[in-house]
Amino acid sequence: MTRALTVEDRLDRLQAFAEIRALPARYAEAFAWQDWAALVELYPVDVHVSRGVTGREALRAAFEKAMGIGTSGRTVAVASLHIGTHVIDIDGPDRAHGSVYCHGEMQRGDGSWYHQAIQYLDVYVRRDGRWYFEGRRRHELFYGVDPGQRPIGLPAAEWPSNDTGIGTAPYDLVTWQEFWSGEAADRETERTR
Amino acid sequence: MTTDGPHPVESRIAALEADAAIRLLAARYAVAVDGRDLDTLVSQFVDDVDVGELGVGRDALRRRFDAELRQFTVSFSLLGGHSIEILDEDHAVGLVRCRFERQVGEQWIVEALELQDTYERRDGAWLFSSRKPRPLYAGDILERPTLSPGAGR
């Protein structure tokens, strides 16, 4: 496969991996220091924010709103996002998608803490030779818990309505459902034999 | 191929490509375990993978995964450090650190382990030829973990 590619193509691809790998790391840095100016630099200048709303300023406002900044109900005081397990799929010279795991330790405005196991689903785009997150990252939640709590038997988090509870990952995955439904079917066969 | 010294540009690029591909291989494996994606899991190994008593090849490997991945329900495989040593253009070895959380009945087991890997390039694709887990500790999240035998040595 690589034989058909020129040296230039191969270097482009390597550069894509290196730059894309840095994006979630920078995202975590920005959250650690609540540096929203740095955060929105990770998105294209014309980033889509919501219906009819684009641009980094609007994105910054959206992040600040989500964090509860400027209101009495500050929702996140500290966010330590420990990332790992980064899968990257290059779709074309200027487009890629990926998945990043994150163990997040967050402190709410009231001083209490919660931990989340997160899978971010990302789309990356290259503009003028630089890679960016295309838009808001999809935040798939495995679970959110109070520290010292097992993530078992909790109510559904229905993120982002609640920061703790059981998420939709991995339950919503077709592969996960098929793996376990196979087992249910096998058990049924055993029983009726 | 250029011949500009002991490490021609071609082999330097190939080594960088190997490093990137192997890093992704480990990440895809982790996500496939958590998503119970057996097709992806077995496709990441060489087709003559040694599965011990279960035999050789991807069908045997699938049977092993199918049994092992029923021992726990939800899992979350957070990878950290990954060191890779390229041995030659088609062989490499590596160590991957993983914080592996999983639900086993009413327990939530947290395990810190290392995966000792060997990699091979077949038809241009880097694959696992073997993966050996070496746990440091494992235990319920509310308990003090037990040191695994041989850990820390």
Side-chain angles (χ1 to χ4, degrees):
Chain A
M1 188 188 77
T2 46
R3 267 177 224 122
L5 299 172
T6 66
V7 166
E8 190 72 18
D9 292 337
R10 293 166 69 188
L11 288 173
D12 254 11
R13 215 178 149 80
L14 287 168
Q15 224 170 348
F17 284 131
E19 283 190 30
I20 289 169
R21 218 173 276 293
L23 286 172
R26 295 218 166 96
Y27 182 96
E29 285 159 18
F31 264 85
W33 308 116
Q34 307 217 355
D35 185 346
W36 312 124
L39 182 65
V40 298
E41 293 283 321
L42 306 177
Y43 298 80
V45 286
D46 60 347
V47 57
H48 171 85
V49 180
S50 55
R51 216 168 126 177
V53 180
T54 58
R56 288 176 176 163
E57 272 313 303
L59 182 64
R60 181 178 175 150
F63 273 118
E64 290 186 348
K65 189 178 170 209
M67 302 289 276
I69 291 166
T71 69
S72 54
R74 193 176 172 88
T75 51
V76 181
V78 173
S80 172
L81 304 179
H82 191 106
I83 58 164
T85 321
H86 192 173
V87 174
I88 301 165
D89 287 296
I90 309 266
D91 302 315
D94 298 315
R95 201 170 175 82
H97 65 277
S99 149
V100 184
Y101 276 11
C102 174
H103 183 255
E105 296 171 303
M106 274 73 67
Q107 186 183 31
R108 302 182 188 92
D110 66 5
S112 63
W113 288 79
Y114 64 99
H115 296 170
Q116 285 188 340
I118 304 159
Q119 181 180 24
Y120 290 103
L121 298 179
D122 296 333
V123 178
Y124 313 106
V125 290
R126 190 171 68 159
R127 298 279 176 79
D128 301 323
R130 277 195 64 178
W131 285 91
Y132 299 96
F133 291 117
E134 184 189 46
R136 304 292 289 273
R137 311 177 72 192
R138 250 176 74 194
H139 174 296
E140 300 289 329
L141 188 68
F142 275 73
Y143 65 79
V145 288
D146 294 336
Q149 186 181 30
R150 293 187 187 99
I152 299 174
L154 304 176
E158 289 169 22
W159 172 265
S161 300
N162 300 292
D163 51 26
T164 58
I166 300 300
T168 51
Y171 307 101
D172 279 0
L173 289 172
V174 173
T175 49
W176 204 84
Q177 289 169 2
E178 281 177 352
F179 181 86
W180 293 109
S181 72
E183 179 170 80
D186 290 348
R187 275 200 207 120
E188 199 55 38
T189 315
E190 285 292 309
R191 215 177 305 144
T192 51
R193 224 170 244 166
Chain B
M1 208 162 96
T2 54
T3 51
D4 54 350
H7 299 291
V9 167
E10 169 60 35
S11 69
R12 291 167 67 185
I13 294 177
L16 288 168
E17 285 173 336
D19 190 271
I22 290 168
R23 245 166 247 291
L24 292 176
L25 191 68
R28 272 186 225 287
Y29 177 99
V31 174
V33 164
D34 296 342
R36 298 299 190 275
D37 183 350
L38 297 190
D39 290 340
T40 297
L41 275 176
V42 299
S43 72
Q44 291 193 298
F45 284 79
V46 292
D47 55 8
D48 55 352
V49 57
D50 180 357
V51 199
E53 288 173 3
L54 287 176
V56 170
R58 289 178 178 157
D59 286 342
L61 184 64
R62 177 183 282 269
R63 286 196 295 279
R64 195 182 78 185
F65 275 128
D66 195 75
E68 284 181 356
L69 298 183
R70 289 185 197 284
Q71 307 302 312
F72 51 90
T73 46
V74 175
S75 60
F76 187 71
S77 306
L78 187 66
L79 300 188
H82 189 173
S83 65
I84 298 164
E85 191 188 343
I86 312 282
L87 302 177
D88 62 40
E89 60 180 19
D90 294 319
H91 295 86
V93 293
L95 299 173
V96 183
R97 308 224 73 78
C98 179
R99 185 178 186 275
F100 181 41
E101 301 176 43
R102 60 194 186 275
Q103 183 179 357
V104 181
E106 290 306 305
Q107 287 202 310
W108 191 269
I109 305 295
V110 178
E111 176 172 349
L113 75 154
E114 174 179 284
L115 290 146
Q116 304 177 321
D117 294 338
T118 61
Y119 315 104
E120 260 187 71
R121 193 173 70 149
R122 300 268 180 97
D123 299 324
W126 282 95
L127 301 167
F128 293 114
S129 41
S130 70
R131 297 210 93 182
K132 203 169 88 187
R134 190 181 180 192
L136 279 163
Y137 71 75
D140 182 77
I141 193 168
L142 302 189
E143 306 291 327
R144 284 169 211 253
T146 312
L147 202 65
S148 295
R153 260 188 244 145

